[in-house]
Amino acid sequence: MATGNVIMIDEDGNIGSASVSENSEQISGLLFDISGQTQFWETGKGAELAGKLKDTVVELHSLQDAKDLGLEPFAGGESATELLMGIPYYHIKHFFDLTNNYDKTLYLMFADCSADWEAIITMQKAANGQIGQFGVWTEKKLWKSVSDTAETYKVLLVDELQTIGNTLANVYNAPASIVLNANTAQIDGAATGQADTVALSKIPTCYVDARYVTVALGQEATNEVHQMQGGLTSKTPVGNIGMALGLLTRCNVAHSIGYVNACNLRNIISTEIEMGFGNAALNSGILTNPTPYDALSMPQLDALDDKGYIFLHKYAGYAGVFFSKDYSCSDGDYNCISRNRVINKSRRMVRRSLLPYVNAPIYLSSGGTLSTGDRTNFINIITDVLNAMKTAGEISAVGAVEFDNTTNLLQTKTLLFSYKVLPVGCAEMIKVTEGFTVTV
């Protein structure tokens, strides 16, 4: 017999193949996987900060909180002493730069994820299930060479993170999106002398039925970023995870972080950007060719887009830097972060609204079915939650809220409800036909 609960189940495939407070979109988690480091907590800055950070989830509300912990920006020079080359501070700063004047909470953890990604669950537990999105930075390689003759690499890590996403949603009732910055500078399993060279044509699709995971590419092309990356033995790109989390924290759950009018990074980072893959051989501590963004043609960028990656992006004639899209690694109904965040928020809110009624007395009609009055009451509870989301601009409309009135509750002791919502659309492309006319 299972413990009494409210169990939420997503339904996929319907698009074409509030009365309760909820602020998980303002709560983020940032995980740094230190499995690529040796003696991380025994030497240098790690040893100095081990008492504060080792095996600990830390809650931050400002950049000053990070400074108080002892995290520092990269200062340059050959004898850098900052924790992980200053990369954690870099991302935390971008997060708080983007969320200035917004309610926000950032949970931070450094963990050895060589065996698994259980640290994400640990962080969600520490946050009482309230984290709405995670950023993961890891030195683990994203792509693997299966053989020298294979046409594409194999994508790694995404399936593992999706398993964690499923566990958060279905075991802990705390669904969250996971945005990944991994090592795209080197290829796992490549022949000797070829590990540092990433062939653009071999980059695989990341659509692997992983709705909770998004793979983000790209970074600033600044001297500071190049030195931080070059200072890592793994040559892992510094990435953009702090920016992604910052935008997710400040955006309406129904909005894409690629929304040009609302998500311009122009005042946060340099407009010089790069992809973070190419030739990772070092020249005076700088990668030989991390593939500048402007070196890629539109067909090449479109190919990356078609494979499900999101990346830092620019538009001709429009100043600024943006995320290209907000894809997830799924091509189903939940094919973008925003749709997942919408359904995740409705799931959390509906569940919280119904939890007070677990083990409550239920008055029945003949045949053991729910009485008309109680049925209406439960439907109204769910509808009120969804109407609040509509008012907030998080969904377009509330669809049907239904109850299975054929169930004999004396036998099953289970109420069966379902609901559907019409999501907010997203104009990923705008086409205009132009021409001359002889009449006006």
Side-chain angles (χ1 to χ4, degrees), residues 4 34 85 90 100 120 168 213 228 239 277 316 320 323-324 370 431:
I34 59 171
M85 298 298 296
Y90 174 89
N100 188 32
I120 296 175
L168 290 178
V213 184
M228 286 192 286
F277 55 76
F323 278 98
S324 56
L370 190 64
K431 293 186 177 182

Side-chain angles (χ1 to χ4, degrees), residues 163-186:
T163 298
I164 293 295
N166 286 334
T167 300
L168 290 178
N170 302 324
V171 177
Y172 294 98
N173 292 296
S177 294
I178 303 170
V179 184
L180 172 66
N181 276 180
N183 187 349
T184 56
Q186 294 185 320

Side-chain angles (χ1 to χ4, degrees), residues 1 5 357-376 378 402-417:
M1 178 68 70
N5 207 340
Y357 298 91
V358 171
N359 292 324
I362 300 292
Y363 296 95
L364 307 176
S365 300
S366 177
T369 60
L370 190 64
S371 68
T372 301
D374 277 352
R375 180 170 71 250
T376 301
F378 280 114
E402 299 176 338
F403 171 71
D404 183 350
N405 201 35
T406 65
T407 302
N408 184 331
L409 296 177
L410 294 175
Q411 294 177 343
T412 67
K413 298 184 179 181
T414 301
L415 299 175
L416 299 176
F417 291 93

Side-chain angles (χ1 to χ4, degrees), residues 289-337:
N289 178 21
T291 310
Y293 172 87
D294 293 331
L296 295 184
S297 66
M298 285 309 302
Q300 289 173 321
L301 293 170
D302 287 344
L304 284 175
D305 181 85
D306 290 342
K307 293 173 181 177
Y309 298 95
I310 70 171
F311 45 87
L312 295 183
H313 180 57
K314 294 191 285 189
Y315 293 96
Y318 198 98
V321 176
F322 312 85
F323 278 98
S324 56
K325 301 280 177 61
D326 76 329
Y327 292 144
S328 71
C329 296
S330 167
D331 57 4
D333 285 0
Y334 304 106
N335 58 13
C336 56
I337 301 174

Side-chain angles (χ1 to χ4, degrees), residues 120-273:
I120 296 175
I121 295 176
T122 299
M123 294 178 71
Q124 189 67 290
K125 288 180 177 179
N128 295 315
Q130 290 301 296
I131 295 174
Q133 51 275 328
F134 286 90
V136 174
W137 187 92
T138 179
E139 294 178 84
K140 291 182 180 180
K141 299 177 180 66
L142 180 63
W143 299 311
K144 178 182 178 73
S145 177
V146 180
S147 71
D148 292 341
T149 58
E151 293 184 0
T152 65
Y153 304 127
K154 176 183 177 181
V155 69
L156 305 175
L157 308 181
V158 177
D159 283 334
E160 300 169 16
L161 290 170
Q162 175 63 19
T163 298
I164 293 295
N166 286 334
T167 300
L168 290 178
N170 302 324
V171 177
Y172 294 98
N173 292 296
S177 294
I178 303 170
V179 184
L180 172 66
N181 276 180
N183 187 349
T184 56
Q186 294 185 320
I187 300 299
D188 187 30
T192 302
Q194 297 180 15
D196 284 345
T197 303
V198 176
L200 181 61
S201 61
K202 287 190 173 186
I203 292 177
T205 180
C206 63
Y207 285 129
V208 291
D209 194 23
R211 56 172 287 195
Y212 291 118
V213 184
T214 293
V215 179
L217 307 176
Q219 64 184 12
E220 287 186 279
T222 65
N223 186 58
E224 176 190 50
V225 167
H226 290 155
Q227 288 186 63
M228 286 192 286
Q229 181 178 3
L232 296 171
T233 303
S234 66
K235 305 175 184 178
T236 300
V238 174
N240 52 43
I241 203 68
M243 307 169 211
L245 287 182
L247 292 176
L248 287 171
T249 298
R250 62 185 277 179
C251 282
N252 182 310
V253 292
H255 294 179
S256 168
I257 60 171
Y259 180 14
V260 171
N261 194 48
C263 299
N264 197 337
L265 297 167
R266 177 177 52 185
N267 296 323
I268 303 299
I269 65 170
S270 167
T271 56
E272 296 301 316
I273 55 176

